């Protein structure tokens, strides 16, 4: 029976997408290949959220937490300055709080040639 | 697949369901079936106290884990900025309902006689908190929230009878009390079960929108898992009502032993229903 409970839990976990992470648009776009690292990154969300943490991982380096600066209120569009780390892949991972109290998270990546 | 904080949040919600529904159910059953449960009343009171304490811990832990989900680390669990942010959202309102509900429940259980009514108010507040957040709140209709409350009261009543019925069934000298409680609950279930099914179907329809979403979305598939588990519980409940309880009324102690075993399986399946619901309401998005 314990296995049955575990199975039910795993079956439902594996069948669904992680909740409430609806992002409309990012700049650069997810998967973009660009010539130069952008001076800033931006996010647009379908609904109001409050960003709580954004991490950048460049190539094989450890993640760096980006300063949210004044972007600490609920909104749909956010811009954060980005320090160029040169060529390579950039992974941006974000977390936030929806106005309804749902925790949200997501990620996008781009490559600088 | 949610991260470690998401998984921990599901576990906290699972414990919250056990605590809130279990404690409220025991209080309701103690009030409704005072006579047949008199022999196990003190044990039921202690169980309800333990479950109310579990509710307090699970509600607080769940709130702190939401803080961790916002930062992606354990530091978020005690970060005043994150917890302050959460407090301003419906998550904060719900925590308040749950803390007040659980404290009222504990206080009521510690006061003899009339305290059970205070405990009942606490329990209803706990159940009402589930209608103030999540997917049912998203569809923003008071009628649906009341339907969820009705659904939860029915579930709590059902769960609340399991422990005293199990306890009484295992004692041959308490056979007549077990048979009486089983019979009375069986009569009540004739109304409760169709209401539970109807409320569940209406809410499922309102949340999903179309029947095809049942098989084409993760949310729908999880709902099917839940329905299948509930169907299993219903089969067991039907066997209890139609076979074991009448035999117990005729004085058959073996039937009481079978009923106790059936209740143990029923409890396990209900725990699986809770696990599925905790997942359904935590990590799966509603279609559209």
């Amino acid at each position: 029976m314990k296995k049955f409970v575990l199975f039910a839990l795993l079956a439902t976990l594996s069948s669904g997408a992680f909740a409430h992470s609806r992002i409309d648009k990012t700049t650069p776009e997810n998967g973009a290949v660009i010539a130069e690292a952008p001076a800033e990154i931006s996010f647009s969300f379908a609904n109001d959220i409050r960003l709580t943490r954004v991490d950048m991982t460049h190539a094989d380096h450890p993640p760096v937490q980006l300063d949210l600066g004044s972007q600490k209120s609920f909104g749909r569009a956010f811009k954060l300055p980005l320090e160029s780390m040169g060529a390579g892949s950039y992974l941006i991972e974000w977390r936030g709080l929806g106005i309804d109290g749902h925790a949200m998270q997501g990620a996008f990546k781009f490559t600088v040639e | 697949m949610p991260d470690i904080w998401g998984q921990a949040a599901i576990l906290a919600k699972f414990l919250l369901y056990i605590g809130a529904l279990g404690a409220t159910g025991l209080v309701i059953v103690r009030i409704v079936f005072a006579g047949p449960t008199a022999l196990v009343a003190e044990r039921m009171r202690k169980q309800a106290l333990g479950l109310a304490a579990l509710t307090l811990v699970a509600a607080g832990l769940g709130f702190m884990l939401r803080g961790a989900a916002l930062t992606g680390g354990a530091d978020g669990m005690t970060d005043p900025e994150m917890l302050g942010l959460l407090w301003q959202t419906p998550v904060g309102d719900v925590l308040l309902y749950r803390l007040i509900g659980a404290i009222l429940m504990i206080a009521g259980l510690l006061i003899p006689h009339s305290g059970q009514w205070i405990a009942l108010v606490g329990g209803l507040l706990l159940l009402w908190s589930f209608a103030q957040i999540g997917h049912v709140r998203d569809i923003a209709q008071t009628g649906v929230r009341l339907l969820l409350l009705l659904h939860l009261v029915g579930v709590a009543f059902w769960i609340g009878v399991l422990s005293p019925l199990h306890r009484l069934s295992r004692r041959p000298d308490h056979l007549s009390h077990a048979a009486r409680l089983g019979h009375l609950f069986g009569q009540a279930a004739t109304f409760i079960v169709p209401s539970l099914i109807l409320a569940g179907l209406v809410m499922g329809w309102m949340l999903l929108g179309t029947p095809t979403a049942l098989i084409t979305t993760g949310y729908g598939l999880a709902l099917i898992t839940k329905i299948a588990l509930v169907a299993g519980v219903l089969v067991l409940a039907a066997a209890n009502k139609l076979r074991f309880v009448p035999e117990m009324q005729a004085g058959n102690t073996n039937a009481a032993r079978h009923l106790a075993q059936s209740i143990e399986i029923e409890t396990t399946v209900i725990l699986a229903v809770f696990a599925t619901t905790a997942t359904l309401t935590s990590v799966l998005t509603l279609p559209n």
Side-chain angles (χ1 to χ4, degrees):
Chain A
M1 268 300 167
K2 283 176 187 166
K3 285 180 184 171
F4 186 55
V5 175
L6 189 65
F7 170 77
L9 190 59
L10 290 177
T12 49
L13 280 178
S14 59
S15 63
F18 183 58
H20 318 291
S21 50
R22 220 173 273 172
I23 192 164
D24 263 4
K25 188 170 179 267
T26 63
T27 308
E29 283 182 10
N30 184 32
V33 179
I34 50 182
E36 273 184 47
E40 62 181 23
I41 53 171
S42 65
F43 314 71
S44 300
F45 294 91
N47 297 302
D48 282 356
I49 87 154
R50 161 44 160 104
L51 280 181
T52 53
R53 186 179 176 116
V54 181
D55 285 341
M56 177 197 73
T57 308
H58 174 245
D60 295 329
H61 297 104
V64 178
Q65 187 177 345
L66 300 186
D67 183 10
L68 296 179
S70 60
Q71 315 258 320
K72 287 188 172 178
S73 55
F74 280 94
R76 294 191 183 190
F78 299 89
K79 284 184 180 174
L80 298 177
L82 187 79
E83 193 180 330
S84 173
M85 307 280 282
S89 66
Y90 289 72
L91 172 67
I92 309 293
E93 292 171 290
W94 59 269
R95 287 175 182 267
L97 176 68
I99 196 90
D100 58 359
H102 278 125
M104 300 163 72
Q105 70 177 103
F108 67 96
K109 56 185 171 185
F110 57 90
T111 305
V112 176
E113 285 187 325
Chain B
M1 189 84 173
D3 63 9
I4 182 78
W5 304 112
Q7 291 173 37
I10 293 172
L11 182 63
K13 193 178 273 190
F14 175 66
L15 295 175
L16 182 70
Y17 288 161
I18 294 173
L21 288 161
T24 309
L26 283 166
V27 170
I28 295 174
V29 168
R30 181 72 191 103
I31 290 173
V32 177
F33 299 137
T37 59
L39 291 171
V40 285
E42 182 53 21
R43 184 184 165 84
M44 287 171 74
R45 190 184 71 86
K46 286 181 180 166
Q47 281 180 334
L49 265 175
L51 289 167
L54 175 67
T55 306
L56 263 184
V57 173
L61 184 65
F63 184 76
M64 292 167 77
L65 284 167
R66 282 181 183 259
L70 296 182
T71 62
D75 57 323
M77 291 179 76
T78 51
D79 185 327
E81 187 186 357
M82 296 303 134
L83 300 184
L85 263 176
L86 282 166
W87 186 254
Q88 296 164 32
T89 69
V91 176
D93 302 341
V94 162
L95 178 66
L96 196 60
Y97 277 116
R98 288 174 184 164
L99 294 182
I100 294 173
I103 289 168
L104 276 178
M105 170 81 77
I106 290 170
L109 289 166
L110 293 173
I111 299 170
H113 310 300
S114 60
Q116 63 183 353
W117 299 104
I118 300 173
L120 180 65
V121 171
L124 292 176
L125 203 56
L126 284 175
L127 300 189
W128 181 241
S129 76
F130 291 106
Q132 300 306 306
I133 198 165
H135 298 141
V136 162
R137 184 183 181 276
D138 291 346
I139 48 181
Q141 290 182 16
T142 308
V144 183
R145 293 188 197 185
L146 288 172
L147 205 58
L148 177 61
L149 180 65
L150 179 75
H151 183 75
L152 292 175
V153 169
V155 172
F157 186 45
W158 189 336
I159 291 166
V161 85
L162 295 179
S163 169
L165 192 53
H166 181 258
R167 183 77 178 172
L168 291 169
S169 302
R170 287 173 63 90
R171 299 278 300 271
D173 49 330
H174 293 162
L175 180 64
S176 61
H177 285 86
R180 177 92 183 123
L181 180 59
H183 175 66
L184 288 174
F185 180 71
Q187 284 183 325
T190 312
F191 298 98
I192 293 169
V193 170
S195 308
L196 273 180
I197 294 172
L198 190 65
L201 284 176
V202 171
M203 284 189 295
W205 174 64
M206 294 195 80
L207 289 168
L208 284 173
T210 62
T212 50
L214 263 181
I215 49 169
T216 55
T217 64
Y219 194 93
L221 290 170
L223 201 55
I224 286 180
T225 306
K226 183 177 172 180
I227 292 167
L229 290 169
V230 172
V233 177
L234 285 176
V235 171
L236 287 169
N240 295 347
K241 177 178 162 57
L242 301 174
R243 187 173 163 198
F244 300 137
V245 171
E247 286 181 17
M248 284 163 65
Q249 286 178 303
N252 184 344
T253 50
N254 263 343
R257 199 165 43 81
H258 287 307
L259 180 73
Q261 287 169 346
S262 172
I263 289 172
E264 286 161 18
I265 298 169
E266 208 175 311
T267 304
T268 310
V269 181
I270 286 171
L271 290 177
V273 174
F274 282 178
T276 310
T277 310
T279 310
L280 197 66
T281 55
S282 297
V283 299
L284 297 173
T285 42
L286 277 179
N288 306 314

